[in-house]
Amino acid sequence: MFVATVETRFEAKNILHIKAVGRWVVWSIKEADRTLRLLKTQNATKAVLDLSAVESMDTTGGLVIERTLQSLQKHGISVQCTGGNKDVRALIKQVSQYPIEDVQPPKKLGFCCYTLNRIGKAAFELSIQCKELLSFFGEIAVVFWGAIRHPRKFRLISLTHHIEDVGMDALPIVGLISFLIGVVLAYQGVHQLARFGAEIFTINLLGISILREVGVLITSIVVAGRSGSAFTAQVGTMVLNEEVNAMKTMGLDPMEYLVVPRILGLVIALPFLTFFADILGLIGGSVMLSFLIDISFGQIIDQVRQAVTLKTFFIGLVKAPVFAFLIAMVGCFEGLKVTGSAESVGQQTTRSVVEGIFLVIIFDALFSVVFSHIGW
Amino acid sequence: MDKRTQVPIIQVHNLVNAFGKQIVHDLLDLTIYRGEVLGLVGASGAGKSVLLHTILGLHRPSGGEVRILGKNIAGLSFKERAQIDQQCGVLFQGGALFSSLSVSDNIQVPLRELARLKKPLTEEVVFQKLSMVGLPAATAFKYPSELSGGMTKRAALARALVLDPEILFLDEPTSGLDPISAGAFDSLINELKSNLNLTVVMVTHDLDSLKTICNRIAVLVDKQVIVGTVDEIMANKNPWIQKYFHGARAKAVWGE
C-alpha cells in the first residue's frame, strides 16, 4: 500500500541530510515517525530537509515534519527545507499554524491513595443516599397523609393502570417461576427425607417454606427486576425530557402524580401476586411429589392441612405490602435522581434493582427476628 | 467557479426512499462536486436526514444508487466499503462523542483502530486537531459530559477530521449554539475547508451559514432537490423556496 520512508546521510561532517520519500499520510506514517524520533544528530550543526520525493502529504504527515523541524532547532541545529511541490509546502505552512502544545494529563493517584479515596467516597455517598432516601420516605408519608384527607388526590385511573402493569402483566412470569421453584424444592426435599423414610414430610417442608418465605421472596425479587426497574426508567426518562419540570411549573406535584400511584399500585398488587405465587408453588411441588412417591392428591391436601395453619399463610402475606413499598419507593427515588444524559437512566435503573432486592432481603431478615421474638 | 469544482465526488441517481406508503424521495438526482460546500435545506420531515443517512450508507434506499468517489456504495465488499468510509468524516447533530471516553481518547479511536498508530504520535495528533478546531489543549482530558454544546461540536469535528477525510458531512452543525458560537463555527468550517481541500455537505437551517459558507444550496421540495447557487435559488419560483428565502427572517439576513 502506501509507504512513507526517511533516508538520512551526512553530507559534510556536520551537515545532516534528511530525505522524505513516499506518501506522508496518516495511513503510512508509522515507520517514518519512528525513524525520525530515533534520529541521531551527532555533531551536526546544519540540517537539510529534502521534500522533493514526497508524493502526497496530509495533516498528520505535516505534523511529523513540523515536529522534526522544531526538535532539530531545539538542539541548536539550523534547518533548511528544500524541494516539495506546491501542495506539500502549503500544507506544511498551514500545519505550522496549529501548534502542538505539550500538556500533561491531570495527575493520577497512586494505588493506596486511589483505594482510600474510593472507600471514602463510597462511604460518604452511602450516608448521603441513606439520608436522601429517609427524607424521600418522609415526603411520601406527607403526600399520603394529604391524599388520605382528600381522597380525590388518589389518581384512580393512573392507579388501576399501574396495578394492571405491575400485577396482571406479571402473573405469567411469577407463576412460572414459583411453579418451578416448587418442583425443585419437592425434588430436593424427597431426596433428603427419603433417607429417614420420611418422604411424606416433604409436604410440610414445601407448605411452610413456600408460604412463609419463598413465595413472597421470589415474587418480590421478580417484581424488583421487572417493575422496580421500569419505575426508574419511566420516571427517569420523564426527568430527562423535563416532563417533571413541566409538571412542577404547572403547580402539579410529581410526588402526587408519579410516585404515589406507583407505590400504591404495587402495594395493592404484590399481596395478590404473592398469593398467586404461593398457590402455584404448592401445585408445582405437589405435581413433582406425585411423580416421585406413591401418593394421591387427596393425601397431599390432607397433609398440607395438618402442616400449615392460616397463620403460616398470613406470615408470608403480611410481608408483601412492605416489600412492595420498598421496591416502589426505591424505584421512584432513583428515577427522580436521574440527571443529564441517557447514560444516567441506565445507571439509576441498575442501582434501583440492586437496592430494591437488597432492602427486601434486609427486611425479610428483620421480619424473621421479630417473628421469632413474638414466637410465631 | 474554478475547474476543480467540476469533478463529481458524490452522485445520487434516481434515488427512491419510501416508508410504507409514504414516499420521501422520488427519483431524486443530486451531484456534489469536489471542493464545494453544499447546503442541504428543506422543511421538517422533507427527508434531509434520510438523504444524508442514505448517502452515508446508514439507510438502504428503496431504489436508485449512490456513488461516492465513483463507486456505487451498494455493491461494495466490506473492505472497499471501509475505504470509502475512511474518506468521509461525519459530524452528527449531537456530536456523538463516545460518552465513556475522554475527548483525547475519542479522537484517538480512529488513529488507533484504523490507522494502527501508537502513542506518542496519536497524542500529538490529538493536540494538533484540537488546536485546529480551536479548543484549548486541556480539553483533551475532559469527558463529553463536561463539555458545553459548542465545545462538543468542536471536539466531534476534531474526531471527524482526524483521518484527513476528503468529504465532511455536517448535520445541523450550528443548531443549539448561540449566535456568536455559531458564527465562529461557520468561519472555522470555512477556514478548514480551504486549508484541507475538503468537500463539505451540510444539513442546516441556519440562514447565516447558508449565506456565509455555502457555494451551492440543495433544496428538498416535492420529493426532489432543486440545486443552485445562492442567487439561482433566490430567483426560483417554487412557493416553498420563495417563503424560505424571502420570509421575514431571511430578509433580516440576506437583505432584500
Side-chain angles (χ1 to χ4, degrees):
Chain A
M1 238 170 86
F2 318 141
V3 211
T5 49
V6 186
E7 293 162 10
T8 57
R9 63 192 160 85
F10 280 90
E11 239 164 42
K13 214 176 159 188
N14 52 5
I15 302 180
L16 178 63
H17 192 269
I18 305 169
K19 189 177 185 188
V21 185
R23 305 183 67 171
W24 282 56
V25 294
V26 65
W27 304 102
S28 52
I29 198 72
K30 202 170 174 181
E31 285 310 311
D33 175 60
R34 187 179 304 160
T35 319
L36 284 176
R37 255 178 227 286
L38 301 173
L39 189 65
K40 297 235 171 9
T41 53
Q42 291 168 9
N43 293 324
T45 54
K46 202 169 168 247
V48 179
L49 186 58
D50 183 3
L51 301 173
S52 55
V54 173
E55 288 170 44
S56 58
M57 187 177 276
D58 67 4
T59 52
T60 308
L63 168 91
V64 174
I65 295 281
E66 178 69 18
R67 192 199 61 218
T68 311
L69 290 179
Q70 280 176 11
S71 100
L72 286 172
Q73 275 159 358
K74 216 184 278 173
H75 285 86
I77 299 167
S78 64
V79 199
Q80 193 195 348
C81 254
T82 63
N85 59 32
K86 202 178 71 193
D87 287 346
V88 170
R89 289 195 156 267
L91 193 116
I92 290 180
K93 202 176 155 208
Q94 277 150 20
V95 167
S96 64
Q97 291 171 24
Y98 306 122
I100 315 148
E101 292 169 61
D102 191 22
V103 185
Q104 295 303 314
K107 239 185 172 176
K108 279 188 183 144
L109 292 171
F111 177 74
C112 282
C113 279
Y114 175 75
T115 315
L116 274 177
N117 194 325
R118 271 193 72 166
I119 294 173
K121 245 188 200 166
F124 187 69
E125 274 165 16
L126 186 68
S127 70
I128 300 254
Q129 177 91 351
C130 289
K131 202 181 95 187
E132 284 178 350
L133 197 58
L134 206 62
S135 106
F136 190 69
F137 176 73
E139 251 182 280
I140 293 171
V142 171
V143 177
F144 255 102
W145 180 239
I148 288 167
R149 288 198 306 174
H150 306 277
R152 215 171 48 82
K153 284 192 174 176
F154 286 116
R155 310 277 143 198
L156 201 63
I157 294 173
S158 172
L159 181 67
T160 47
H161 164 77
H162 285 299
I163 290 177
E164 184 191 347
D165 195 37
V166 301
M168 293 279 286
D169 296 351
L171 285 177
I173 183 72
V174 167
L176 179 67
I177 290 180
S178 309
F179 184 87
L180 293 177
I181 292 279
V183 167
V184 171
L185 276 179
Y187 180 74
Q188 296 296 337
V190 167
H191 219 69
Q192 299 300 323
L193 292 173
R195 298 186 197 180
F196 310 102
E199 293 98 326
I200 191 71
F201 288 108
T202 311
I203 298 167
N204 299 44
L205 171 86
L206 266 177
I208 292 174
S209 61
I210 286 183
L211 293 188
R212 277 189 76 129
E213 293 289 342
V214 176
V216 63
L217 216 50
I218 291 289
T219 313
S220 300
I221 289 171
V222 170
V223 164
R226 195 182 167 280
S227 306
S229 61
F231 287 174
T232 310
Q234 289 159 1
V235 176
T237 312
M238 291 184 78
V239 171
L240 218 56
N241 260 343
E242 294 207 89
E243 288 171 55
V244 172
N245 283 348
M247 292 176 81
K248 282 181 187 163
T249 52
M250 288 178 209
L252 307 175
D253 184 5
M255 293 296 284
E256 186 187 320
Y257 284 80
L258 299 179
V259 178
V260 168
R262 282 184 170 78
I263 292 181
L264 202 58
L266 198 58
V267 166
I268 292 171
L270 197 64
F272 288 104
L273 273 180
T274 303
F275 175 70
F276 181 68
D278 286 349
I279 302 302
L280 265 282
L282 287 178
I283 291 177
S286 314
V287 169
M288 192 65 191
L289 270 182
S290 60
F291 278 116
L292 288 175
I293 55 177
D294 190 21
I295 194 169
S296 71
F297 266 107
Q299 283 171 286
I300 293 180
I301 289 173
D302 271 348
Q303 187 69 20
V304 169
R305 270 205 193 133
Q306 280 176 35
V308 171
T309 59
L310 207 56
K311 199 172 77 182
T312 323
F313 170 67
F314 277 117
I315 283 177
L317 212 58
V318 81
K319 299 185 218 173
V322 178
F323 292 173
F325 182 83
L326 292 171
I327 293 167
M329 178 176 75
V330 170
C332 296
F333 172 71
E334 294 295 348
L336 286 171
K337 272 185 33 177
V338 163
T339 46
S341 61
E343 204 188 351
S344 162
V345 178
Q347 281 169 0
Q348 295 305 112
T349 307
T350 313
R351 294 185 71 148
S352 142
V353 174
V354 172
E355 285 167 10
I357 293 177
F358 176 72
L359 282 177
V360 163
I361 305 276
I362 293 254
F363 272 75
D364 194 45
L366 283 180
F367 270 116
S368 293
V369 172
V370 171
F371 287 151
S372 72
H373 263 278
I374 58 177
W376 278 6
Chain B
M1 287 200 188
D2 61 9
K3 259 190 286 173
R4 280 193 317 174
T5 56
Q6 297 311 313
V7 184
I9 195 163
I10 296 174
Q11 293 150 292
V12 179
H13 186 55
N14 278 347
L15 183 75
V16 180
N17 268 314
F19 298 97
K21 281 189 178 163
Q22 193 200 353
I23 294 169
V24 182
H25 303 133
D26 193 10
L27 301 179
L28 180 149
D29 279 311
L30 174 65
T31 306
I32 299 166
Y33 297 103
R34 190 177 289 265
E36 74 173 342
V37 178
L38 181 93
L40 190 58
V41 300
S44 311
K48 299 185 297 287
S49 298
V50 179
L51 181 58
L52 191 68
H53 283 198
T54 311
I55 294 175
L56 290 170
L58 296 172
H59 173 78
R60 189 183 284 269
S62 316
E65 62 172 28
V66 177
R67 288 176 172 275
I68 298 180
L69 298 161
K71 286 185 182 153
N72 185 347
I73 60 166
L76 293 182
S77 71
F78 190 74
K79 208 173 170 187
E80 289 172 313
R81 185 55 207 278
Q83 277 171 6
I84 295 284
D85 284 343
Q86 284 157 12
Q87 296 303 323
C88 301
V90 189
L91 171 61
F92 288 96
Q93 200 172 348
L97 290 170
F98 303 125
S99 50
S100 57
L101 300 179
S102 67
V103 170
S104 166
D105 287 330
N106 259 290
I107 300 174
Q108 285 181 57
V109 165
L111 291 173
R112 281 193 203 142
E113 301 301 322
L114 299 172
R116 302 263 163 221
L117 297 182
K118 291 208 165 67
K119 286 180 184 178
L121 181 60
T122 52
E123 283 173 341
E124 289 167 359
V125 175
V126 167
F127 290 125
Q128 180 199 33
K129 294 302 186 278
L130 285 178
S131 133
M132 259 190 194
V133 298
L135 284 175
T139 319
F141 309 111
K142 290 191 174 165
Y143 281 84
S145 56
E146 298 168 306
L147 301 179
S148 69
M151 288 169 92
T152 305
K153 296 227 173 185
R154 281 170 189 258
L157 184 62
R159 188 180 67 179
L161 289 173
V162 76
L163 293 176
D164 279 75
E166 291 205 36
I167 316 166
L168 182 63
F169 294 91
L170 307 171
D171 192 359
E172 306 220 6
T174 52
S175 73
L177 300 187
D178 63 81
I180 298 174
S181 313
F185 204 84
D186 280 346
S187 47
L188 173 69
I189 300 286
N190 225 354
E191 178 194 326
L192 292 175
K193 183 239 153 193
S194 55
N195 282 359
L196 306 176
N197 295 323
L198 290 168
T199 306
V200 181
V201 181
M202 60 194 288
V203 172
T204 188
H205 271 306
D206 191 331
L207 291 157
D208 285 297
S209 301
L210 287 172
K211 186 186 178 191
T212 45
I213 59 177
C214 292
N215 304 123
R216 290 199 307 158
I217 297 173
V219 189
L220 265 165
V221 276
D222 304 329
K223 297 162 191 169
Q224 308 242 329
V225 279
I226 296 172
V227 196
T229 60
V230 174
D231 295 331
E232 285 165 15
I233 293 290
M234 294 282 280
N236 195 293
K237 291 285 176 248
N238 182 294
W240 191 84
I241 295 180
Q242 284 288 318
K243 259 189 218 161
Y244 193 96
F245 290 93
H246 298 279
R249 280 165 158 259
K251 274 180 190 160
V253 176
W254 309 71
E256 277 302 323

